[in-house]
Amino acid sequence: MSISPSAQERKKVTTLSLARKKAQGQPITMLTAYDYATALAIDRAEIDSILVGDSLGMVVLGYETTLPVTMKDMIHHCQAVARGARFALLVGDMPFMSYQASVDEAVRNAGRFLQEGGMDAVKLEGGRERLPAIEAIISAGIPVQGHLGLTPQSVHLLGGFRAQGKTATAARKLIEDALALQGAGCFSIVLETIPARLARFLSERLEIPTIGIGAGVGCDGQVLVTHDLLGLFDRFTPRFVKKYADLHAEMAQAFAAYKAEVEASIFPAEEHGIEMPEEEWEEFLEELK
Ligand code: KIV
């Protein structure tokens, strides 16, 4: 594959690049990816960061929640993404029960994302209750992105995939959690499905960048689940998603066209086939006699 001149000049995005973007008031872009081809396309679009989200459980593996996703699933998909993306900051999402049971396990599992998965950083959900794990992971030299608001791994505790931070008490707790994550050394925090004015307030008070999803334009950056943005996942689309394509419909059309052409013997046409030199064919027939 040839590398374009602009690709040669491009620099790898780091946690410091994100901090610089916040300082300069430049919005940060992040998207999820779970496979090589998507990671390559996102990287070519010069998106700052790729999250290998545990959302893969829902949009790729077909689970109802992210809870069944394992470390094995995550490492497998991280490796594919790392093979496709050279420039974006790669963040691996720590799955349910990979960091909650003990600090030791949290550090070892976080390390696997870098050593085996080819990631640059990890993300984990939760506030002050996660500080021991976050501090230990960061002490091991691994950058951590926090995740507050709607934290899908706590779906049952939250009573469903519901917006968070809508009361004064909940908003105060969120701010205290965000300040604690910043104090522990997180390089950024994802804010999911919280009121836009609360997200803006938080983003203005924090020194580290906030990345919003369903949290309004006042965040320092935005992340979307790529399958939602592409219209690939049509089981359920959150209100905050903007569909930039309708690939599910396009796929359905392409599959129907393929079926019709195969059934009508239109595909494969001559140009899709491989020819054998005439003399070889003659010799082959001759030898059969
Ligand atoms: O798993 C994921 O894709 C995420 C994003 C929604 C932030 O955590």
Side-chain angles (χ1 to χ4, degrees):
M1 193 192 316
S2 69
I3 299 169
S4 67
S6 68
Q8 282 167 355
E9 287 156 20
R10 267 177 82 188
K11 286 206 175 85
K12 168 82 183 168
V13 179
T14 66
T15 56
L16 291 182
S17 327
L18 300 197
R20 214 171 296 127
K21 277 199 136 182
K22 171 161 178 138
Q24 292 169 353
Q26 293 172 358
I28 296 161
T29 52
M30 185 183 216
L31 283 174
T32 66
Y34 320 99
D35 63 82
Y36 169 81
T38 311
L40 192 64
I42 292 176
D43 211 37
R44 284 184 176 159
E46 304 197 13
I47 298 291
D48 294 311
S49 180
I50 295 179
L51 171 67
V52 185
D54 64 350
S55 50
L56 91 88
M58 298 173 77
V59 301
V60 175
L61 303 178
Y63 297 129
E64 292 292 326
T65 68
T66 58
L67 302 186
V69 176
T70 62
M71 276 299 295
K72 190 169 170 220
D73 294 329
M74 290 307 302
I75 297 294
H76 180 73
H77 287 272
C78 284
Q79 288 170 338
V81 167
R83 286 191 282 267
R86 290 174 48 209
F87 300 104
L89 176 75
L90 302 180
V91 182
D93 208 1
M94 296 193 72
F96 182 55
M97 292 318 293
S98 67
Y99 58 93
Q100 290 92 339
S102 80
V103 168
D104 256 22
E105 257 191 286
V107 176
R108 278 190 210 293
N109 283 324
R112 289 188 62 198
F113 275 92
L114 273 66
Q115 266 189 328
E116 297 172 41
M119 296 290 103
D120 304 313
V122 297
K123 173 171 88 57
L124 58 85
E125 298 180 7
R128 280 160 287 178
E129 70 282 9
R130 297 288 157 240
L131 286 186
I134 291 173
E135 280 164 357
I137 295 170
I138 295 172
S139 314
I142 301 166
V144 175
Q145 182 168 54
H147 184 159
L148 295 173
L150 169 51
T151 45
Q153 291 174 17
S154 306
V155 58
H156 297 306
L157 196 64
L158 302 176
F161 294 104
R162 306 157 65 88
Q164 300 296 310
K166 286 171 75 175
T167 64
T169 309
R172 261 195 307 274
K173 179 180 179 310
L174 239 151
I175 287 175
E176 282 161 17
D177 279 338
L179 288 170
L181 294 191
Q182 173 173 273
C186 284
F187 72 88
S188 158
I189 303 177
V190 167
L191 298 175
E192 179 164 354
T193 325
I194 65 168
R197 60 176 144 182
L198 175 60
R200 181 184 290 280
F201 179 92
L202 250 172
S203 306
E204 284 168 359
R205 267 150 195 83
L206 289 174
E207 283 160 28
I208 57 174
T210 59
I211 310 290
I213 173 161
V217 74
C219 296
D220 301 305
Q222 298 293 325
V223 58
L224 277 180
V225 170
T226 293
H227 282 52
D228 290 337
L229 168 156
L230 293 177
L232 266 173
F233 183 66
D234 77 339
R235 197 169 77 196
F236 148 82
T237 309
R239 202 168 65 94
F240 56 75
V241 167
K242 179 167 176 185
K243 276 194 189 183
Y244 287 82
D246 190 0
L247 293 196
H248 189 82
E250 279 203 41
M251 278 204 309
Q253 254 173 29
F255 298 150
Y258 166 76
K259 173 178 155 68
E261 291 201 356
V262 169
E263 288 175 352
S265 301
I266 295 171
F267 177 82
E270 231 175 279
E271 68 266 27
H272 305 118
I274 293 152
E275 254 324 321
M276 189 173 175
E278 197 55 33
E279 60 278 14
E280 295 294 333
W281 182 244
E282 291 303 330
E283 186 184 326
F284 166 70
L285 292 179
E286 199 56 39
E287 278 167 10
L288 286 181
K289 283 185 189 159

